């Protein structure tokens, strides 16, 4: 078990460019979450997947943001036409729920190291 | 809607001293509560969690937290702080039926010799 990994760790881009981040969850985990953390704040929920299905999206996820998890394993988060306000740490987390999809209260989320995005 | 308040943005303690980080939550039913630690440039590591049962929970690295329903609090404690504990600490809450975790603003801990 190598934990949750994210790539790249750092990304610097110019305003208006598109960026894509990748998250590889813990291998047997069927749920995957994306959070955004701006300087001096706690992480804020963006979206989550159960297998390949995107089940919830925050209002923070504007139409410039899109997330996918095509095969129920890794996930990508794309930001189109980046703005300076998009500068943040983007965190990915994963968790395991029962095979039946039943709710398990001890469904703790394991976080990756994050991708730090700087938009110039 | 669930929310978390961490009233102390920054705390400084001497190495070897005791520590208490405050956390208050807002949620109607019994919440699921967490404390995470984040070192600079790193992701979040779970210290401990509370779901039900004993209101005093033990975590990793010698940390513990006590759930007090009457005060809507879940304060984190450690009897003797080590220099390696310097980091940012986040309290978080999740409602029973949802997957979204709501985090507090965080408390940055500085440890001085």
């Amino acid at each position: 078990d190598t934990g949750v990994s994210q790539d790249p760790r750092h990304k610097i881009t110019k305003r208006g460019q598109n960026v894509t981040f990748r998250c590889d969850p813990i291998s047997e985990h069927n749920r995957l979450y994306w959070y955004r953390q701006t300087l001096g704040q706690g992480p804020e929920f963006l979206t989550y997947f159960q297998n390949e299905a995107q089940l919830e999206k925050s209002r923070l996820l504007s139409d410039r943001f899109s997330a996918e998890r095509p095969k129920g394993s890794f996930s990508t988060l794309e930001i189109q036409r980046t703005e300076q306000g998009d500068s943040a740490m983007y965190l990915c987390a994963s968790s395991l729920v029962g095979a039946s999809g039943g709710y398990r209260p001890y469904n703790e989320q394991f976080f990756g190291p994050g991708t730090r995005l700087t938009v110039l | 809607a669930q929310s978390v308040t961490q009233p102390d943005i920054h705390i400084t303690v001497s190495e070897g001293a005791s520590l208490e980080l405050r956390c208050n939550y807002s949620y109607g039913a019994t919440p699921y509560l967490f404390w995470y630690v984040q070192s600079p440039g790193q992701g979040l590591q779970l210290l401990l969690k509370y779901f039900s049962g004993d209101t005093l929970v033990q975590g990793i690295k010698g940390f513990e937290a006590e759930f007090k329903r009457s005060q809507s609090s879940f304060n984190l404690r450690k009897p003797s702080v080590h220099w390696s504990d310097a980091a940012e600490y986040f309290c978080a809450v999740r409602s029973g039926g949802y997957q979204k975790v709501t985090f507090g603003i965080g408390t940055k801990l500085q440890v001085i010799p």
Side-chain angles (χ1 to χ4, degrees), chain B:
Chain B
Q2 58 194 34
S3 67
V4 176
T5 301
Q6 293 182 250
D8 304 306
I9 304 287
H10 190 274
I11 283 185
T12 300
V13 299
S14 299
E15 191 168 15
S18 64
L19 172 70
E20 182 168 26
L21 302 183
R22 296 184 290 165
C23 172
N24 292 95
Y25 67 90
S26 172
Y27 179 64
T30 299
Y32 300 130
L33 295 160
F34 309 84
W35 274 100
Y36 285 88
V37 61
Q38 185 177 37
S39 298
Q42 301 298 311
L44 301 168
Q45 181 182 22
L46 181 67
L47 285 176
L48 48 77
K49 58 186 180 284
Y50 172 79
F51 293 123
S52 65
D54 193 348
T55 56
L56 184 64
V57 293
Q58 303 297 320
I60 61 171
K61 304 185 180 186
F63 286 93
E64 66 177 26
E66 185 171 13
F67 171 61
K68 293 185 177 180
R69 183 189 301 276
S70 61
Q71 298 176 19
S72 297
S73 70
F74 188 57
N75 294 349
L76 181 72
R77 300 194 294 249
K78 186 169 184 178
S80 178
V81 169
H82 188 262
W83 64 266
S84 61
D85 294 324
E88 192 154 19
Y89 293 79
F90 293 93
C91 182
V93 62
R94 177 164 66 86
S95 62
Y98 299 93
Q99 298 305 310
K100 171 184 166 181
V101 176
T102 299
F103 288 84
I105 196 172
T107 297
K108 189 165 287 186
L109 173 66
Q110 181 181 9
V111 180
I112 57 176

Side-chain angles (χ1 to χ4, degrees), chain A residues 62-82:
Chain A
S62 76
D63 56 5
R64 296 185 297 106
F65 288 70
S66 62
E68 294 182 342
R69 195 183 183 200
K71 298 182 180 179
S73 57
F74 73 92
S75 175
T76 58
L77 177 67
E78 181 183 17
I79 309 174
Q80 296 182 326
R81 304 181 303 280
T82 52

